[in-house]
Structure formats: C-alpha cells, structure tokens
Amino acid sequence: MKIHPVILSGGSGTRLWPVSRATYPKQLMALTSELTLLQETLRRVADDTRFAAPIVVCNDEHRFLVAEQARALGVTPAAILLEPVGRNTAPAIAAAAHILADRDPEAMMLMLPSDHYIAARDGFWEAVDRAARAAGRGALVTFGVTPNRPETGYGYIRRGEALDGCPGCFRVERFVEKPDLETAKAYLADGGYAWNSGIFLFGAARYLEELERLETEMLSATAKAVALAVRDLDFLRLDKDAFAAAPARSIDYAVMERTDGAAVVPLDVGWSDVGSWAALWETAEKDGNGNALVGDVLAEGVTNSY
C-alpha cells in the first residue's frame, strides 16, 4: 500500500527575514541546495514504490509558485489544496484526510512541512517504513529527532515502552513544551527524549476518527469546506466560510497531545527545521574557518559565519 504524502506549504515568511517574507516564504527559496526547500521535500517522497502522488496544501497567494516549482521538478501533485484563510495545521491536515479517506478508507498519509532539511533520505525512508507498520495497526505516529545538543527552541517527546510487533516504534509517554536550558540539558543526558519534528504518519480515516472524538467542530467545518470546494485550473479551492469556521489549532494541540494512540519513531537523519540563520549555517557547507559563503564573498578575518 502506497503512502500519500501531504505537504503543508503555508507560513507567513517571518523566519529568516528579510530574505524570507510573506509573499515569498522560505520554503519557496533555494537555501540548502540548488532546489528550493519545497522541491527538496517533493523529491524526498518521489520514490514511487513507497509513495503516491503528493497533496500540497498552500494559500492562494503562493499557488502559482508552488505549481511551477512542482512542474520544474517533474512532479504532478494529486491535488493542490488552497486554504482561503490560515487555520493552523490540524484543519489543513483534516482537509487532505477527508479527500484521501473518501477515495480509499485504508489510505495512509504522511504529513510533511515543506520547509525542513533532511540530509539522509534513505534513513528517512527507513523511518517511514517503521512508522507505517505502527500506523497500519491504528497508531498516530510522530517522528522524534534524536537530539545532539540541549536545544531550547523545540518541543520534546518523552519516549515510552516499545510497541509490540513494531520494531523501532514506541508509545509516546508525553509531549513537553520548549524547555529552559537546564531542563534541555537534563533531557539530553536522560536519552529518552527527542525533538518534536512536526512530521506525522497515520491513517486518514484514523485521524478523522480522532477529530470526531476530540474536535467535532473542526471535523464538521473541514468536511463542509471539502464538500463545497471548487476546482480552479490545477487547484482545489476550499470553501472560505466553511474552512474559516474551523478552530485554528495545531495538530499537536488538537490531536497528538490528547490521543491515546500516539507513537514515536526515532529519526536520526540530519534534520533541521531551518528556522533561523544559525540553523541555516549548520546545514551549509563551510570552509576551513567555519564560514558558509554564498555568492561573491571576500571573507577577511571572519570565522563561523554565514
């Protein structure tokens, strides 16, 4: 059974300002390679033995840029869903889940932010394969990045007991908000904590089942937004009034922190959310002085800079 990637390409362009901005956010920019972060994400799920054609969710303002970047890569999305208003990640994922579950009640969906960096694609695929086994048994799986420093900018996941019959997959004991430095150091020393990557895998119908239990208003609003959606060229426009009625909540808050079915798969693949200039420097190739140089640069007496 192929997994359906759902790529979220929203965002307000506030990170990496002033290069990234509202009309041209970082996922549409080439920052870690010659490809944009969105294109790198599309290429990451281009293995047709594992993945079906992706669904991309974006806002109206970015629709032509998204479509053109996919075309330039030779990728034809199964759908490009246009959000009429931003309502955070849970409703966006719900809209895609309605579409997939209507087509195939057994459909598995892999939710990916469009602006992340992953160095080891094969390692990522292996983690997805492990997660798919657990998701096939009803788990809602998140990917926990193995930490290499006491980071205060990410939320954490406390790993619980191993899932029977699902090697490399564990129950989520709890989600933890962004810690202070001393707490982050304790998490790193403990070894049982991982960064919350914001990547998820679960059955589309299973996600909707949890929304029915936990977020009935969101489920109803997104179902109506999909039912009243209008085709526009290569795009599918969600109904504005219906979608705007959905509560604006993240998938973590709406579902993952409240479900009894949360599981986590460790992810050690050179991941970054490229959320700051320091994070971008970490992903870049550097010279002997630790400098990442892009373009026509003369670096005199400079070290560890981007």
PDB file of all heavy atoms in Angstrom, residues 125-140:
ATOM      1  N   TRP A 125      13.472   7.263   4.696  1.00  0.00           N
ATOM      2  CA  TRP A 125      12.589   6.223   4.173  1.00  0.00           C
ATOM      3  C   TRP A 125      12.488   5.043   5.131  1.00  0.00           C
ATOM      4  O   TRP A 125      11.400   4.483   5.335  1.00  0.00           O
ATOM      5  CB  TRP A 125      13.098   5.747   2.817  1.00  0.00           C
ATOM      6  CG  TRP A 125      12.881   6.720   1.696  1.00  0.00           C
ATOM      7  CD1 TRP A 125      12.171   7.870   1.739  1.00  0.00           C
ATOM      8  CD2 TRP A 125      13.392   6.606   0.362  1.00  0.00           C
ATOM      9  NE1 TRP A 125      12.217   8.505   0.517  1.00  0.00           N
ATOM     10  CE2 TRP A 125      12.945   7.747  -0.342  1.00  0.00           C
ATOM     11  CE3 TRP A 125      14.192   5.665  -0.290  1.00  0.00           C
ATOM     12  CZ2 TRP A 125      13.278   7.965  -1.686  1.00  0.00           C
ATOM     13  CZ3 TRP A 125      14.511   5.870  -1.627  1.00  0.00           C
ATOM     14  CH2 TRP A 125      14.053   7.004  -2.313  1.00  0.00           C
ATOM     15  N   GLU A 126      13.612   4.654   5.721  1.00  0.00           N
ATOM     16  CA  GLU A 126      13.597   3.543   6.670  1.00  0.00           C
ATOM     17  C   GLU A 126      12.717   3.870   7.879  1.00  0.00           C
ATOM     18  O   GLU A 126      11.980   3.009   8.376  1.00  0.00           O
ATOM     19  CB  GLU A 126      15.021   3.222   7.123  1.00  0.00           C
ATOM     20  CG  GLU A 126      15.886   2.616   6.026  1.00  0.00           C
ATOM     21  CD  GLU A 126      17.344   2.519   6.431  1.00  0.00           C
ATOM     22  OE1 GLU A 126      17.662   2.853   7.605  1.00  0.00           O
ATOM     23  OE2 GLU A 126      18.175   2.121   5.589  1.00  0.00           O
ATOM     24  N   ALA A 127      12.796   5.112   8.360  1.00  0.00           N
ATOM     25  CA  ALA A 127      11.949   5.527   9.481  1.00  0.00           C
ATOM     26  C   ALA A 127      10.480   5.520   9.086  1.00  0.00           C
ATOM     27  O   ALA A 127       9.617   5.124   9.874  1.00  0.00           O
ATOM     28  CB  ALA A 127      12.372   6.914   9.968  1.00  0.00           C
ATOM     29  N   VAL A 128      10.180   5.939   7.865  1.00  0.00           N
ATOM     30  CA  VAL A 128       8.795   5.917   7.372  1.00  0.00           C
ATOM     31  C   VAL A 128       8.280   4.486   7.316  1.00  0.00           C
ATOM     32  O   VAL A 128       7.127   4.211   7.687  1.00  0.00           O
ATOM     33  CB  VAL A 128       8.703   6.595   5.996  1.00  0.00           C
ATOM     34  CG1 VAL A 128       7.343   6.330   5.338  1.00  0.00           C
ATOM     35  CG2 VAL A 128       8.921   8.098   6.123  1.00  0.00           C
ATOM     36  N   ASP A 129       9.105   3.562   6.852  1.00  0.00           N
ATOM     37  CA  ASP A 129       8.690   2.156   6.788  1.00  0.00           C
ATOM     38  C   ASP A 129       8.348   1.627   8.173  1.00  0.00           C
ATOM     39  O   ASP A 129       7.364   0.895   8.358  1.00  0.00           O
ATOM     40  CB  ASP A 129       9.795   1.305   6.162  1.00  0.00           C
ATOM     41  CG  ASP A 129       9.988   1.566   4.675  1.00  0.00           C
ATOM     42  OD1 ASP A 129       9.089   2.176   4.065  1.00  0.00           O
ATOM     43  OD2 ASP A 129      11.037   1.176   4.132  1.00  0.00           O
ATOM     44  N   ARG A 130       9.151   1.996   9.176  1.00  0.00           N
ATOM     45  CA  ARG A 130       8.867   1.558  10.547  1.00  0.00           C
ATOM     46  C   ARG A 130       7.560   2.178  11.041  1.00  0.00           C
ATOM     47  O   ARG A 130       6.745   1.507  11.685  1.00  0.00           O
ATOM     48  CB  ARG A 130      10.019   1.938  11.478  1.00  0.00           C
ATOM     49  CG  ARG A 130      11.293   1.129  11.247  1.00  0.00           C
ATOM     50  CD  ARG A 130      12.286   1.299  12.388  1.00  0.00           C
ATOM     51  NE  ARG A 130      12.804   2.658  12.472  1.00  0.00           N
ATOM     52  CZ  ARG A 130      13.862   3.093  11.811  1.00  0.00           C
ATOM     53  NH1 ARG A 130      14.518   2.277  10.992  1.00  0.00           N
ATOM     54  NH2 ARG A 130      14.287   4.334  11.949  1.00  0.00           N
ATOM     55  N   ALA A 131       7.373   3.441  10.755  1.00  0.00           N
ATOM     56  CA  ALA A 131       6.164   4.126  11.206  1.00  0.00           C
ATOM     57  C   ALA A 131       4.917   3.556  10.533  1.00  0.00           C
ATOM     58  O   ALA A 131       3.847   3.467  11.149  1.00  0.00           O
ATOM     59  CB  ALA A 131       6.281   5.626  10.914  1.00  0.00           C
ATOM     60  N   ALA A 132       5.042   3.165   9.263  1.00  0.00           N
ATOM     61  CA  ALA A 132       3.892   2.643   8.531  1.00  0.00           C
ATOM     62  C   ALA A 132       3.378   1.356   9.163  1.00  0.00           C
ATOM     63  O   ALA A 132       2.167   1.092   9.174  1.00  0.00           O
ATOM     64  CB  ALA A 132       4.267   2.416   7.069  1.00  0.00           C
ATOM     65  N   ARG A 133       4.293   0.549   9.687  1.00  0.00           N
ATOM     66  CA  ARG A 133       3.870  -0.688  10.350  1.00  0.00           C
ATOM     67  C   ARG A 133       2.982  -0.368  11.558  1.00  0.00           C
ATOM     68  O   ARG A 133       1.933  -0.985  11.771  1.00  0.00           O
ATOM     69  CB  ARG A 133       5.091  -1.493  10.784  1.00  0.00           C
ATOM     70  CG  ARG A 133       4.753  -2.822  11.435  1.00  0.00           C
ATOM     71  CD  ARG A 133       6.018  -3.493  11.977  1.00  0.00           C
ATOM     72  NE  ARG A 133       6.882  -3.909  10.902  1.00  0.00           N
ATOM     73  CZ  ARG A 133       6.848  -5.123  10.346  1.00  0.00           C
ATOM     74  NH1 ARG A 133       5.960  -6.010  10.760  1.00  0.00           N
ATOM     75  NH2 ARG A 133       7.701  -5.429   9.388  1.00  0.00           N
ATOM     76  N   ALA A 134       3.397   0.628  12.344  1.00  0.00           N
ATOM     77  CA  ALA A 134       2.607   1.001  13.517  1.00  0.00           C
ATOM     78  C   ALA A 134       1.304   1.686  13.114  1.00  0.00           C
ATOM     79  O   ALA A 134       0.247   1.445  13.704  1.00  0.00           O
ATOM     80  CB  ALA A 134       3.429   1.919  14.417  1.00  0.00           C
ATOM     81  N   ALA A 135       1.361   2.554  12.098  1.00  0.00           N
ATOM     82  CA  ALA A 135       0.154   3.244  11.648  1.00  0.00           C
ATOM     83  C   ALA A 135      -0.865   2.256  11.101  1.00  0.00           C
ATOM     84  O   ALA A 135      -2.080   2.450  11.246  1.00  0.00           O
ATOM     85  CB  ALA A 135       0.521   4.277  10.585  1.00  0.00           C
ATOM     86  N   GLY A 136      -0.390   1.184  10.474  1.00  0.00           N
ATOM     87  CA  GLY A 136      -1.288   0.157   9.974  1.00  0.00           C
ATOM     88  C   GLY A 136      -2.057  -0.539  11.081  1.00  0.00           C
ATOM     89  O   GLY A 136      -3.099  -1.156  10.830  1.00  0.00           O
ATOM     90  N   ARG A 137      -1.560  -0.437  12.302  1.00  0.00           N
ATOM     91  CA  ARG A 137      -2.243  -1.007  13.467  1.00  0.00           C
ATOM     92  C   ARG A 137      -3.028   0.044  14.252  1.00  0.00           C
ATOM     93  O   ARG A 137      -3.442  -0.207  15.382  1.00  0.00           O
ATOM     94  CB  ARG A 137      -1.222  -1.686  14.376  1.00  0.00           C
ATOM     95  CG  ARG A 137      -0.467  -2.824  13.689  1.00  0.00           C
ATOM     96  CD  ARG A 137       0.426  -3.566  14.662  1.00  0.00           C
ATOM     97  NE  ARG A 137       1.097  -4.686  14.029  1.00  0.00           N
ATOM     98  CZ  ARG A 137       1.674  -5.678  14.685  1.00  0.00           C
ATOM     99  NH1 ARG A 137       1.675  -5.679  16.003  1.00  0.00           N
ATOM    100  NH2 ARG A 137       2.261  -6.662  14.033  1.00  0.00           N
ATOM    101  N   GLY A 138      -3.167   1.222  13.665  1.00  0.00           N
ATOM    102  CA  GLY A 138      -4.003   2.241  14.284  1.00  0.00           C
ATOM    103  C   GLY A 138      -3.277   3.324  15.045  1.00  0.00           C
ATOM    104  O   GLY A 138      -3.919   4.239  15.586  1.00  0.00           O
ATOM    105  N   ALA A 139      -1.951   3.279  15.112  1.00  0.00           N
ATOM    106  CA  ALA A 139      -1.205   4.316  15.837  1.00  0.00           C
ATOM    107  C   ALA A 139      -1.164   5.604  15.028  1.00  0.00           C
ATOM    108  O   ALA A 139      -1.197   5.589  13.796  1.00  0.00           O
ATOM    109  CB  ALA A 139       0.211   3.837  16.131  1.00  0.00           C
ATOM    110  N   LEU A 140      -1.086   6.714  15.726  1.00  0.00           N
ATOM    111  CA  LEU A 140      -0.827   8.011  15.115  1.00  0.00           C
ATOM    112  C   LEU A 140       0.631   8.332  15.436  1.00  0.00           C
ATOM    113  O   LEU A 140       0.978   8.615  16.579  1.00  0.00           O
ATOM    114  CB  LEU A 140      -1.754   9.093  15.664  1.00  0.00           C
ATOM    115  CG  LEU A 140      -3.221   8.980  15.211  1.00  0.00           C
ATOM    116  CD1 LEU A 140      -3.995   8.068  16.166  1.00  0.00           C
ATOM    117  CD2 LEU A 140      -3.890  10.336  15.142  1.00  0.00           C
TER     118      LEU A 140
END
